[in-house]
Amino acid sequence: WHGSDAVQLSRLIAEAPVQNSPAMQALFYTLLLTEKRPPLGASEEEAEALLLAQIDRLIALGATDPALALTELAGPMQSRALFRRWFDATLLTGDEDDSCAALQERPYLSPGYPATIFCTLRAGDWQTAALTLEAAHALELLPRLQLDLLDRFLSPEIFEGAPPLPAPEDPDPLTFRLYEAIGERLPSTGLPRAFANADLRDLAGWKAQIEAAERLTRIGALNPNKLLGLYTERSPAASGGVWDRVAAVQRFDTALATGSDTAVAKTLAPVWTQAQNAGLEVPFAHLFADRLAVHSLNGAAEALAWRIRLLSPQYETAARQPPKDGTVVQFLAALAQGDPARSPAPDGQARAITEGFAPEATPPQELIAALNAGKLGEVILRTIALFDSGARGNPADLTAALASLRRIGLEDTARRAALQLMLIERG
């Protein structure tokens, strides 16, 4: 962040478009989680605002564990703003014992009456929690629905048989957990992505866990191995939707385990279609590329397995043994080895990629000037935005983004991003 403006960085972090590119997701997470100093000349308030912007974006993407790590590194007790984000993240991951214990020691950090009441009751002090809630009632300090929710949380026996409370339109993590505690769990599917983390716990059903894991894996916020573990946990309970995906993954995983080339070839196309339907092509490649590489496949299965391997970290190894399948394959193999110009570009997008990898390709002048001014982090953020524009059909921006990535030493990211753009179809 050395030479950048803190306010500008906060805006770029909040707006960085990473939803459609796994390579840009990985780069963005690395940038946010790398140890950094605040910009030179930034005030304490600006420096904290920049840190909060990074934590907020991680939470918005569903990456609550990294957000927790970043908050804990900064010291969650340094300010109420930091503590509130730590508290919210722990509620979503099931680690609220830690934040509640800290709140008991430093009550002045409380995000509000509901948090104080929640943590006081969890500490076993029902009487103090009830007195605090009574004061909130008397002084009308909270909305009616929140008071009703806390009433049921403190005294569930009084409300046995009562009709369920209406679902809140925009719950915060504490409200979400309170509904869970009173037995009226809210579905996370219509809520911001961060809430999917709560469905990874055993309290949620298997289907809800799988759907939450898919949602988080799709944005790069969850290790694909967690999703594979859920897919293979037990036999599908039904058919259709997510259950067809579970069944396809299990059949493919079994085929790989048998070592049968025939079984792998038979199950590969159906499971790949399911991965495409869920937008999980790159996580699938990370999970299975190595195991696919040892099988001798032919025809369509060979071509598909090769393309899947190009989406994995072993893309360069795969590129050395391309199937004999025409111009596109040759271009992809050349691209994976960092020299797409040695093969004819099959379309306009490929031509823009080739230009981005040309030795004479240069980043835009404003990015070069920013690099020279010590604004590496800012340049990366601007390059992410440039790549998104290029991916949506602006060839000049695509060329500029790839040239910028390569100029700052991110050759691997440039190749992965370009390969993903060529290999993954997005509607």
Side-chain angles (χ1 to χ4, degrees):
W1 302 147
H2 180 76
S4 298
D5 174 71
V7 176
Q8 176 81 333
L9 286 172
S10 296
R11 182 184 66 79
L12 290 170
I13 288 167
E15 297 175 355
V18 298
Q19 60 273 16
N20 294 320
S21 172
M24 293 299 113
Q25 291 165 13
L27 175 59
F28 188 56
Y29 289 130
T30 299
L31 177 63
L32 294 190
L33 295 171
T34 298
E35 190 171 349
K36 303 172 289 291
R37 293 193 181 100
L40 281 178
S43 66
E44 287 187 15
E45 292 77 12
E46 288 173 335
E48 181 176 79
L50 176 56
L51 174 61
L52 295 176
Q54 295 171 74
I55 295 168
D56 287 343
R57 189 64 200 278
L58 286 169
I59 292 175
L61 289 169
T64 51
D65 283 336
L68 275 173
L70 193 57
T71 311
E72 288 166 357
L73 183 65
M77 271 69 82
Q78 297 299 314
S79 72
R80 291 186 68 183
L82 278 167
F83 181 84
R84 181 172 65 79
R85 285 155 175 83
W86 186 48
F87 183 65
D88 284 350
T90 62
L91 287 166
L92 295 171
T93 59
D95 298 316
E96 65 274 6
D97 284 349
D98 295 337
S99 56
C100 276
L103 186 57
Q104 294 296 103
E105 295 178 9
R106 297 174 176 84
Y108 58 86
L109 291 172
S110 176
Y113 277 91
T116 299
I117 293 166
F118 175 79
C119 287
T120 302
L121 184 59
R122 285 186 64 86
D125 190 351
W126 184 91
Q127 188 170 12
T128 300
L131 286 171
T132 307
L133 179 56
E134 188 177 329
H137 271 286
L139 298 173
E140 298 181 346
L141 297 174
L142 298 171
R144 182 75 253 168
L145 179 58
Q146 204 159 36
L147 290 169
D148 291 343
L149 179 58
L150 288 166
D151 280 335
R152 296 190 184 205
F153 177 63
L154 259 68
S155 305
E157 68 284 350
I158 296 176
F159 296 94
E160 281 189 25
L165 290 173
E169 291 184 6
D170 186 23
D172 60 15
L174 179 55
T175 299
F176 182 88
R177 289 299 304 277
L178 287 170
Y179 268 85
E180 180 180 88
I182 66 170
E184 298 179 21
R185 202 168 195 279
L186 301 170
S188 72
T189 47
L191 299 176
R193 193 181 290 107
F195 287 86
N197 285 275
D199 278 347
L200 296 179
R201 296 172 298 138
D202 291 338
L203 289 171
W206 185 35
K207 182 173 183 286
Q209 289 181 56
I210 293 171
E211 290 173 339
E214 288 183 338
R215 191 179 179 193
L216 294 170
T217 303
R218 193 177 301 122
I219 197 68
L222 188 72
N223 189 313
N225 285 301
K226 172 69 175 178
L227 178 58
L228 179 61
L230 287 168
Y231 278 150
T232 56
E233 188 174 287
R234 65 190 88 154
S235 299
S239 60
V242 70
W243 299 125
D244 287 348
R245 191 148 48 250
V246 170
V249 170
Q250 290 187 3
R251 284 193 291 268
F252 180 64
D253 191 54
T254 299
L256 289 170
T258 65
S260 165
D261 294 341
T262 302
V264 170
K266 182 179 179 180
T267 56
L268 179 57
V271 75
W272 181 246
T273 298
Q274 288 294 334
Q276 288 178 306
N277 292 343
L280 294 167
E281 296 95 333
V282 172
F284 180 90
H286 280 243
L287 287 169
F288 294 113
D290 285 348
R291 295 167 69 187
L292 265 177
V294 302
H295 287 274
S296 299
L297 306 176
N298 298 300
E302 178 192 16
L304 177 55
W306 184 75
R307 287 171 177 255
I308 292 170
R309 291 175 63 203
L310 287 185
L311 292 172
S312 79
Q314 288 74 44
Y315 62 86
E316 195 166 2
T317 301
R320 298 190 191 106
Q321 297 176 314
K324 296 178 176 61
D325 193 24
T327 303
V328 175
V329 164
Q330 295 307 314
F331 177 81
L332 291 171
L335 171 59
Q337 295 174 77
D339 186 19
R342 75 167 191 246
S343 179
D347 55 30
Q349 180 174 265
R351 283 191 293 275
I353 289 171
T354 298
E355 291 171 10
F357 279 82
E360 66 275 11
T362 58
Q365 283 302 313
E366 60 269 23
L367 294 190
I368 293 176
L371 275 175
N372 293 336
K375 301 180 180 181
L376 176 60
E378 181 179 333
V379 168
I380 291 174
L381 291 168
R382 291 187 181 279
T383 300
I384 288 172
L386 204 58
F387 182 84
D388 181 70
S389 173
R392 287 186 287 108
N394 190 324
D397 284 353
L398 178 56
T399 296
L402 293 171
S404 300
L405 289 168
R406 300 181 77 233
R407 171 64 68 90
I408 57 183
L410 297 172
E411 175 74 20
D412 179 64
T413 299
R415 293 191 200 181
R416 288 195 193 203
L419 285 167
Q420 290 165 9
L421 199 55
M422 292 291 297
L423 289 164
I424 298 175
E425 295 180 13
R426 288 283 182 260

